[in-house]
Amino acid sequence: MAKAVEGRAVSATQREWAAVVQAIVAIVGSDAVVTALTHRLVYQWDGNTVFGGLPQAVILPRDVDQVEQVIRILSDHRIPWLARGSGTGLSGGAVAIQGGVIVDLARLRGPVQIDAIGPLARVAPGVTNLELNRAAAARGYFYAPDPSSQVACTIGGNVAENSGGSHCLKYGVTVNHLLGLEVVTASGQRLSLGGAAPDLPGYDLTGFFVGSEGTLGVVTEATVHLVKQPQAVRTVLALFDGPEQASQTVSDVIAAGMLPAAMEMMDRLAMDGVELGPYRVGYPSQTGAVLLIEVDGIEAGLPEQAEHIVAIAQHNGVQEVRVAQDERERALWWQNRKTAFGAMGNLSPNYYVQDGVIPRSRLPQVLQQIESISHEFGLRIANVFHAGDGNLHPLILFDDHQKGQREKAIQAGSAILHICVEEGGSITGEHGVGIEKREEMRWMYSDEELAFQGELRRVWDPQGLANPGKVLPT
Amino acid sequence: MTHEVFSSQHPPLAELAEQLAYDDLMNCMRCGFCLPACPTYAVTGDDFDSPRGRISLAKAVADGQLSPDDPGFAQAFDRCIGCLACQEVCPSGVQYNRIFEQARAFIEARRTHGPVRRLAFSGLFLHQGLMRTAAALMRFYQKSGLQALVRKSGVLHVMGRLGALEPLLPKLAAPQRMASGQWLLPSSDRAAHAVAQVQRIDLRNRRAIALSAPARKNRVSSTATAVEAAQDSERANACLRVGLFGGCIMDAALSVTNVNTARLLQYAGVAVINVRGQACCGALHAHNGDLQHARELAKRNIAAFEQAEVDLIVSNAGGCGAQFFEYPELLQDEPLWHARACRFLEKVVDVTELLDRLDNLEGLRPIEAVVTYQDSCHLRNVMGVTEAPRKLIQSVPGVRFVELPEAEKCCGSGGIYNVTQYDFSMQVLDRKLAFLKQTQADYLLTTNPGCQLQLAYVAKRSGLPLKVMHIVDFLAQALPEER
C-alpha cells in the first residue's frame, strides 16, 4: 500500500516510538492500542466538517489509572496527544491536526453515582449527556446543560467545551453545574479540583479547567449539580412568515418578564432539512420561521404563561400556534429541532456550522447581513438559533467536491463571526474555539491578554503537548 | 485535510467506488447520533465499530484513500451485525443498508469460502426440499442419541466456534406443516369483521392498501384434483386472502410457528394459504454479499405470490419481511421485475401488524405469566413495527407485560453473524442478559427465528428460567380449543 502522508511527525524517532507503543500496550493491552492505518482513518475527523488530521495512534484506556500511566509515558517522551470522547465536537477540538496520539475516553463509562442529598452526580468522562440525564431522571432530577448532540456527546467533552444547549437560557451552561473535577494534567499529574462543598477557598481551578478544550489535561471524573425536575412543562410551537416576527416575539416574551427554559428558532432552509429527517413535524410550506418556546416550573400559573406566550405570538402575526398536547408531541418537536445539524445532509453534501453570539435585539439585522453573505459567497445558509440568548448557528452549505467551496464556506463563516463581534457579541457561544476560530480570538482579546492566557496554559502543560494548535492563535 | 493514502486507479477500487451508493455516503455528516444506537459500538466504545466509522471507511475507499482489499475494511463490515438501528436515528437519512450490502458484496466476492458455506448458500437455502432434508437429518441427530454422544465426545471443542454454537440448534419437533396451496378458511362472521377492519389499514404511511372489491378472476385450474381447491378459492374470495410466507429456517426448523401463524390468522377472520413455489427470502445471501442468489430468490417469491392472487403477504420473521423491502432496489436494473417487486412489497405485512389491525382476537384464554419482548431489529428498523407486538401480548388475559430495557437493541444474532463473529456476538448478548435478568419474566417473546434461537441459547447457557418463543406460538397457546 502507498505510504500515508501523516500529520506532522511526532518528535520521537522510529525506535523510540516503537518502545512507547510497547510500553502503552503493556498498560492497556493490545486491543486498546490502535496503530493500523485503516483503523486510524476513522479517527481523522470529529463532528466538525472541514478540518481533519490523522493520528499516529489511538489509545482506548479503561480506567483512570490507565489514563494516568498513558499520559505519563506520552509526557516523558514528549509526544503530543489529545483527548476524545464521542467525537461530536464542532470546532475540531478532537482532531489531531499535528498528528500525535488520541486518548479516547469512551470506555470510561462506569455507572453514574447519584447522591440525592446534594443533589449531585459523579460521572465518568465517557458517559453520555443523555445517559447522565436518564440516571438522574430515575431519581426525579435532571442535568440541565443539554447540547443538541446529547444522545451521543460525553460529559468529558461537555466539560472541555463548556457546552450549553437549548435550556441554558434559564439554567446556564456546564460551568454553572460543575462542582468538582478529577483530572490528569498534561504532565501526568492527578489533581482534584473543587468538590461537593460550595465556595471552596483558593482559586477556582474547576472554573478555569471548564472550557479549556483539552489544552490543560483530561477529565477523569466530574461531579455535577443536579436540578429537581420541574413539576410541569408547557411547550409552544409557533409558525411565522419569517424570522422578523419570530425575533420580535422572542424579545416581547422576555420584555413581558418571563424567563422560558428555552426559545429556539429555525429558518425555512433549516426546516427543509429536518423535515427530511426521521422526526418530521409537518411544517406548512408558507412558514418562514418556526419558534419553539418551553416554560417550566410549578404547575400553578404555567397554563397562563403558555397562554400569554400564545397571545404575544398572535400579536406578532403568527400563522399558527400550538401547545404540545402530550409528551410524545413535545419529544417530536424537540427531536426535530435537535437533529438540525445532521439533517443538513439531506440538503447538501457538506455543511459548515458557525457559532456566534449577538445581543438578542439585533437578530433581524444580523439575519439580513447573513443573507447578504450568502449571496456574496454564492452559498446557501440555513439558520438555527438559541434565540433566547442570541446564540446563532448559521449552517453554511457547500460541496467539498467543488474546488474552492470549502475555503469559501470557511471565509463566509468568518465573515459572519465578524458581524457578531461588530454587533457587540462573541465568536463562540458553546462550540469552542478549536481549530477554526483561533485567529478570530484576536478580535476578542489584545496580544497581552492572549499572552497571559498562554502563560496560564503553560503552568498546566509546560511542554505544550495537550491538544496543541487549538484555542490560542499561533 | 485529505490524506492521499491510497492513490488512484486501482481496478477493484474503481469497481467498488462505482458500486457504493456515493450519495448515501456523502450524506453522512459525522454527527455521531448513530453511536448510541449501535450494538457493536456499545461493546467496544471504538469508533471503528460504529456506523460512522464504517461509513468513513467506505467513503475512504470510494475517494481513493483506502484500498478495498485492505483487511481492515473487510473487518469493519464483517463486524457489523446489520441491525440497521443506525439508519432509524440518522438525521440525514443515510441509507446504511445500501452501503452495508454493497460493501459486503464486494468483500465476499473476493473471498473464497469453504464448501459447507457454499453448499448452504447455493444449495440449502435455495431449495426448500433440501432444507427440509437437512432438518430431518438434524432431528435424527438429536433424537438418535447421536447428539448426546457428540456432546460427550469433545468433538465440539475441536470444532471451535462452530462447536460452541451447537447448543444453539433448535430442538426440532417432528414437522408440522401447513399443506401448500390449500386455503385455510375462517368462520364467516369473523371474516366479515376482518374485511371491514382491514379497509382502514395504513402501514407506516408507506402505502395504503385499497381492498375495496378487488377484481379477482375466477381461476380455473387445469388439473382435475384442483376442483375442490377451486371451490375453496371461491369461498376465500369473500374473505381477506392472505398468503403466508413460510421462510426457509422457519419452514424447516420452526414449522410449528408457521402453523400457529395460520391458525391465528384464521381465528382473526382471514383466509390463509401457504403459497406454493415460494423460496427463502434471500436476506442471508444479500447481507453476506451474494446478491446474485438474492435476486433469483426474490423473483421466485414474487412470481409465486402473484400466482396465488392474495391481498396481503404475511411474514412472521422480521428478517424476511425486511428483505422484501429490498426487492425493488435489488431488481432495479430490470424494469419489469422492479415494478412487480413494488407491487409485491405493497402487500407485505408482518403477522403482528396484521393481527393488531384486525383487532379480532377476542375470546383468548388467559395465561398467567410475566412476559417481556425483544424487538426484532429488522421488524423495528425496517418495517417500523414496534407497538403491535406489545399490544398483542397485552391482549392476552392474565399477562403482565414488562418492558425489557434496551429491547430495541440487537441481540447479536444477525443471520449467521453469531457464527461468523462468535466472540462479538456473545459480548452483545452478555449485555442483553443483564437486562433480561432484571425483568424476572417467565416468557421472552420475539418475532424472528434468528433472535429466538440466539435468546434461547443465552437463557439456556445462563440457566435463566425463561421460556423463549415466537410471539405467534405464545398467542396460539391462548387460542380456545377447537370445537
Side-chain angles (χ1 to χ4, degrees):
Chain A
M1 176 180 294
K3 225 182 103 198
V5 180
E6 307 270 354
R8 202 168 72 201
V10 297
S11 54
T13 62
Q14 288 285 343
R15 186 179 300 169
E16 191 185 356
W17 172 246
V20 167
V21 170
Q22 208 173 11
I24 293 175
V25 166
I27 294 162
V28 297
S30 57
D31 72 320
V33 179
V34 172
T35 52
L37 174 63
T38 314
H39 201 142
R40 285 184 289 136
L41 279 177
V42 306
Y43 283 94
Q44 60 181 327
W45 301 96
D46 62 5
N48 97 85
T49 51
V50 294
F51 305 99
L54 192 63
Q56 184 134 357
V58 181
I59 322 286
L60 296 117
R62 288 190 182 279
D63 57 43
V64 186
D65 290 340
Q66 291 187 352
V67 173
E68 183 190 359
Q69 291 178 59
V70 166
I71 291 175
R72 278 254 160 86
I73 291 177
L74 296 172
S75 172
D76 288 349
H77 294 270
R78 307 191 58 169
I79 293 170
W81 62 276
L82 63 86
R84 186 183 196 265
S86 293
T88 56
L90 295 160
S91 57
V95 173
I97 40 166
Q98 301 189 0
V101 170
I102 288 180
V103 179
D104 189 317
L105 293 134
R107 287 181 177 171
L108 271 73
R109 50 182 169 183
V112 175
Q113 297 168 50
I114 290 184
D115 176 356
I117 312 269
L120 54 86
R122 290 179 208 284
V123 198
V127 170
T128 67
N129 179 295
L130 191 66
E131 281 164 353
L132 167 58
N133 259 304
R134 286 204 178 123
R139 306 284 293 270
Y141 299 100
F142 74 108
Y143 174 66
D146 62 334
S148 293
S149 57
Q150 69 182 145
V151 297
C153 66
T154 64
I155 292 302
N158 286 184
V159 171
E161 301 293 325
N162 192 16
S163 303
S166 299
H167 289 75
C168 64
L169 172 60
K170 176 173 176 179
Y171 291 100
V173 297
T174 303
V175 70
N176 306 113
H177 297 270
L178 265 188
L179 296 166
L181 291 173
E182 300 288 322
V183 304
V184 176
T185 68
S187 33
Q189 208 174 352
R190 256 164 107 155
L191 294 180
S192 262
L193 316 179
D199 276 336
L200 291 172
Y203 298 112
D204 177 13
L205 296 184
T206 315
F208 184 73
F209 199 93
V210 178
S212 59
E213 304 189 25
T215 58
L216 308 180
V218 56
V219 180
T220 53
E221 187 186 88
T223 304
V224 301
H225 177 61
L226 300 178
V227 184
K228 188 87 188 139
Q229 280 184 334
Q231 192 183 36
V233 178
R234 288 290 183 287
T235 310
V236 178
L237 186 79
L239 310 176
F240 294 91
D241 292 344
E244 286 78 25
Q245 297 92 326
S247 302
Q248 194 55 49
T249 303
V250 170
S251 292
D252 291 353
V253 167
I254 299 281
M258 286 183 269
L259 181 56
M263 288 204 272
E264 301 283 303
M265 198 197 298
M266 286 188 285
D267 72 359
R268 184 67 234 176
L269 196 53
M271 282 188 266
D272 288 344
V274 287
E275 289 291 89
L276 291 168
Y279 308 107
R280 187 173 175 275
V281 168
Y283 302 118
S285 58
Q286 71 274 19
T287 298
V290 58
L291 196 57
L292 188 59
I293 302 182
E294 189 157 283
V295 287
D296 64 7
I298 52 168
E299 174 67 37
L302 217 50
E304 290 76 11
Q305 252 192 76
E307 276 167 34
H308 195 171
I309 290 169
V310 168
I312 291 172
Q314 282 164 343
H315 179 76
N316 285 303
V318 72
Q319 294 176 340
E320 191 187 333
V321 58
R322 281 184 259 166
V323 180
Q325 290 307 297
D326 50 32
E327 183 50 37
R328 189 173 250 195
E329 190 170 34
R330 171 178 178 252
L332 173 71
W333 293 352
W334 274 113
Q335 281 166 326
N336 176 279
R337 157 62 189 89
K338 289 198 169 188
T339 46
F341 292 5
M344 291 303 109
N346 296 313
L347 303 178
S348 168
N350 304 87
Y351 81 94
Y352 174 53
V353 62
Q354 262 307 349
D355 172 39
V357 182
I358 52 163
R360 189 173 45 235
S361 59
R362 305 295 298 161
L363 203 54
Q365 291 84 344
V366 171
L367 275 181
Q368 276 172 13
Q369 296 185 66
I370 291 177
E371 205 176 322
S372 347
I373 289 174
S374 167
H375 289 303
E376 185 188 330
F377 287 87
L379 297 173
R380 290 182 298 164
I381 302 179
N383 286 289
V384 175
F385 329 103
H386 303 306
D389 42 20
N391 189 184
L392 309 181
H393 291 316
L395 300 150
I396 304 159
L397 309 186
F398 70 99
D399 182 351
D400 214 4
H401 277 83
Q402 291 194 34
K403 208 165 176 260
Q405 280 219 351
R406 184 200 303 215
E407 290 68 28
K408 267 192 186 173
I410 295 172
Q411 285 164 17
S414 186
I416 292 171
L417 290 186
H418 200 252
I419 292 165
C420 294
V421 174
E422 279 189 337
E423 293 285 347
S426 153
I427 58 169
T428 174
E430 54 187 9
H431 296 173
V433 176
I435 303 168
E436 59 170 15
K437 292 186 282 277
R438 282 174 305 186
E439 287 310 312
E440 283 81 354
M441 284 286 273
R442 296 189 198 280
W443 302 344
M444 303 294 298
Y445 301 107
S446 70
D447 287 351
E448 290 75 22
E449 287 162 345
L450 288 170
F452 195 76
Q453 294 204 20
E455 287 293 315
L456 287 171
R457 178 173 177 171
R458 270 188 288 282
V459 172
W460 296 74
D461 181 15
Q463 304 184 93
L465 299 176
N467 213 2
K470 310 288 171 67
V471 185
L472 297 177
T474 41
Chain B
M1 198 185 316
T2 339
H3 301 276
E4 281 298 327
V5 170
F6 185 83
S7 56
S8 80
Q9 296 317 312
H10 195 262
L13 173 80
E15 192 186 317
L16 180 60
E18 213 167 276
Q19 279 172 26
L20 278 171
Y22 200 76
D23 285 348
D24 293 323
L25 294 172
M26 290 296 288
N27 267 5
C28 177
M29 299 284 118
R30 298 190 290 270
C31 68
F33 279 36
C34 52
L35 301 184
C38 177
T40 55
Y41 182 76
V43 168
T44 67
D46 183 344
D47 234 324
F48 183 75
D49 295 312
S50 81
R52 177 175 65 178
R54 293 176 182 123
I55 292 166
S56 74
L57 289 181
K59 192 160 183 290
V61 166
D63 282 342
Q65 265 198 325
L66 178 70
S67 160
D69 293 321
D70 186 283
F73 177 65
Q75 189 189 24
F77 280 93
D78 284 349
R79 280 198 195 168
C80 173
I81 310 175
C83 72
L84 306 182
C86 50
Q87 192 168 309
E88 192 66 1
V89 296
C90 176
S92 56
V94 172
Q95 297 292 301
Y96 179 78
N97 62 330
R98 297 177 60 196
I99 298 169
F100 175 64
E101 270 184 19
Q102 287 159 4
R104 296 277 300 143
F106 184 86
I107 292 160
E108 289 299 330
R110 310 175 72 72
R111 268 190 187 143
T112 43
H113 283 296
V116 173
R117 174 163 158 162
R118 276 207 311 275
L119 179 71
F121 270 54
S122 61
L124 214 51
F125 287 106
L126 288 193
H127 304 286
Q128 251 182 357
L130 278 181
M131 190 64 131
R132 286 177 189 171
T133 310
L137 285 172
M138 185 90 81
R139 272 194 301 283
F140 173 73
Y141 168 73
Q142 290 175 342
K143 286 262 165 69
S144 63
L146 198 58
Q147 184 173 40
L149 194 69
V150 168
R151 281 183 182 172
K152 272 192 207 136
S153 70
V155 168
L156 294 174
H157 292 288
V158 180
M159 285 171 69
R161 64 182 186 196
L162 271 174
L165 278 170
E166 192 269 356
L168 217 149
L169 295 174
K171 193 146 193 263
L172 295 184
Q176 194 184 350
R177 198 164 278 122
M178 195 184 162
S180 122
Q182 281 174 28
W183 286 100
L184 195 62
L185 298 169
S187 69
S188 54
D189 52 333
R190 284 195 180 262
H193 179 84
V195 170
Q197 280 297 101
V198 90
Q199 301 283 1
R200 293 196 301 274
I201 215 162
D202 172 20
L203 306 167
R204 206 199 181 190
N205 306 325
R206 61 181 184 243
R207 58 224 145 97
I209 296 185
L211 289 162
S212 45
R216 296 199 187 92
K217 294 174 286 184
N218 277 329
R219 294 173 307 164
V220 182
S221 180
S222 56
T223 62
T225 51
V227 174
E228 203 178 324
Q231 283 168 349
D232 276 354
S233 179
E234 195 65 30
R235 279 183 58 207
N237 278 349
C239 313
L240 180 69
R241 299 156 55 104
V242 309
L244 178 64
F245 180 76
C248 54
I249 293 171
M250 227 34 163
D251 178 74
L254 302 163
S255 58
V256 66
T257 305
N258 281 344
V259 173
N260 284 334
T261 302
R263 283 174 62 210
L264 276 167
L265 288 169
Q266 180 192 28
Y267 184 76
V270 302
V272 190
I273 189 166
N274 182 11
V275 172
R276 196 175 285 170
Q278 59 176 299
C280 164
C281 68
L284 282 178
H285 301 78
H287 299 158
N288 291 283
D290 186 356
L291 294 179
Q292 193 199 329
H293 278 128
R295 280 189 200 102
E296 194 181 311
L297 290 164
K299 287 180 184 173
R300 230 190 272 178
N301 283 321
I302 292 168
F305 280 85
E306 278 172 356
Q307 186 77 33
E309 297 182 21
V310 291
D311 298 315
L312 293 173
I313 298 162
V314 175
S315 148
N316 56 15
C320 303
Q323 178 60 18
F324 297 149
F325 280 66
E326 306 283 334
Y327 282 7
E329 181 159 336
L330 207 52
L331 299 169
Q332 65 180 353
D333 293 338
E334 300 170 74
L336 288 178
W337 275 109
H338 173 78
R340 289 167 77 178
C342 291
R343 284 196 298 275
F344 176 91
L345 177 57
E346 277 173 14
K347 295 181 176 180
V348 169
V349 61
D350 184 74
V351 61
T352 59
E353 201 178 9
L354 181 57
L355 287 174
D356 177 47
R357 292 301 176 124
L358 291 170
D359 191 20
N360 209 11
L361 284 180
E362 75 277 9
L364 291 181
R365 296 185 302 177
I367 299 178
E368 302 292 336
V370 180
V371 181
T372 192
Y373 172 71
Q374 160 69 38
D375 284 287
S376 143
C377 293
H378 288 169
L379 185 64
R380 183 186 186 96
N381 301 326
V382 180
M383 299 185 77
V385 179
T386 56
E387 293 302 314
R390 291 172 168 82
K391 277 160 71 183
L392 284 173
I393 293 167
Q394 291 174 75
S395 74
V396 177
V399 160
R400 189 165 74 80
F401 179 73
V402 186
E403 186 67 40
L404 172 67
E406 292 196 1
E408 78 286 355
K409 265 222 173 93
C410 183
C411 67
S413 161
I416 56 169
Y417 184 86
N418 48 13
V419 179
T420 59
Q421 300 284 327
Y422 178 76
D423 293 339
F424 237 82
S425 169
M426 291 303 123
Q427 288 181 64
V428 171
L429 200 51
D430 286 343
R431 191 179 164 94
K432 188 64 67 189
L433 177 64
F435 289 123
L436 275 175
K437 284 180 178 161
Q438 276 178 32
T439 64
Q440 300 191 320
D442 305 309
Y443 286 91
L444 167 61
L445 306 184
T446 181
T447 39
N448 189 58
C451 315
Q452 189 185 337
L453 299 182
Q454 171 95 339
L455 294 164
Y457 170 64
V458 73
K460 191 173 168 189
R461 192 187 64 175
S462 58
L464 270 189
L466 186 67
K467 296 187 201 76
V468 181
M469 55 171 76
H470 195 289
I471 187 170
V472 155
D473 296 328
F474 179 79
L475 293 173
Q477 285 183 6
L479 281 177
E481 302 276 342
E482 277 162 40
R483 278 153 293 167

